[in-house]
Amino acid sequence: NDILFEENTKYDNIIPIKIKGPSGEVQYYQGCYNAEGKCHGPGTWVQNNNIYFGNFCNDEFSGKGLFINPKGDYYFGDWNHNKCNGQGSLVVDGIEAYQGDFKDNKKWGEGIENLKNLDIYYGHFYNGEKNGNGKYIFFEGSAYEGKFNNSKIDGNGKIKFNDGKKYVGEFQNGEITGNGELSYENGVKFKGEYIKEKKQW
């Protein structure tokens, strides 16, 4: 309880069960209320097999809380005005997972994302997409570090392939395009312009 609930807070009118439906839907709530009769403090909310367990403020999810949808996907972390805001963890389909910053239900800030294909991304998110600096580790062993734009490798960066090759330079739309240097384990290097991963002679 110390993880979820605020400490040293007074809650009035603790009532076992409340059913409320401002738009005609049936919702169930059990927990604490304030003097105005609004859900306020620790409680549990259920609607259409969606479950929220955590803190409320004036009828809204606020503070720490756990939300589980009917598929079993869940989010645990910070809430504000009924939206994921702050630090949290998200798991989808039991595989894809994200831990980091959220803003208005979107990945926004710094975070770590484990993808369904077992690739891993560490870095910055903006408006739900990988944007800015980040590191992407491919399941087959290659690793990229550099710029991202709308979840695609784009800008300056470097990549080490699983066969030992290395490229440092420009990328566009997920491909090696622009000026850069490709080096092999045997010491051979090619420096110049590339278009769609092909050296321009």
Side-chain angles (χ1 to χ4, degrees), residues 25-183:
E25 76 279 8
V26 177
Q27 302 179 27
Y28 299 89
Y29 172 78
Q30 181 174 12
C32 298
Y33 293 81
N34 60 16
E36 297 176 354
K38 294 183 177 181
C39 307
H40 195 87
T44 302
W45 169 93
V46 179
Q47 181 189 2
N48 296 330
N49 294 320
N50 293 296
I51 302 172
Y52 172 84
F53 173 72
N55 277 298
F56 291 78
C57 180
N58 293 323
D59 279 344
E60 294 182 331
F61 304 162
S62 183
K64 294 288 185 183
L66 170 67
F67 182 93
I68 308 172
N69 71 12
K71 292 171 53 182
D73 303 336
Y74 67 88
Y75 167 84
F76 174 74
D78 297 325
W79 294 82
N80 189 28
H81 297 303
N82 284 334
K83 293 182 178 180
C84 307
N85 277 290
Q87 287 276 325
S89 299
L90 175 69
V91 174
V92 179
D93 295 332
I95 301 174
E96 185 170 346
Y98 170 82
Q99 183 172 4
D101 298 325
F102 287 83
K103 180 181 177 182
D104 293 338
N105 288 338
K106 294 181 179 180
K107 301 166 187 174
W108 205 311
E110 298 298 319
I112 302 173
E113 187 176 50
N114 295 282
L115 302 170
K116 293 180 182 178
N117 61 5
L118 303 182
D119 294 349
I120 302 173
Y121 171 80
Y122 306 80
H124 194 77
F125 290 80
Y126 178 83
N127 199 29
E129 301 286 347
K130 302 174 187 66
N131 278 290
N133 293 316
K135 184 174 183 179
Y136 194 100
I137 301 175
F138 297 86
F139 175 68
E140 41 81 10
S142 300
Y144 166 84
E145 186 172 0
K147 294 290 185 179
F148 287 79
N149 183 29
N150 290 328
S151 294
K152 291 186 177 180
I153 293 172
D154 198 287
N156 292 318
K158 57 184 178 180
I159 186 168
K160 182 177 181 180
F161 297 93
N162 60 354
D163 61 2
K165 294 196 305 286
K166 296 179 182 178
Y167 171 82
V168 179
E170 296 177 324
F171 295 78
Q172 289 183 22
N173 200 29
E175 296 179 316
I176 294 174
T177 296
N179 292 312
E181 181 178 274
L182 181 66
S183 59

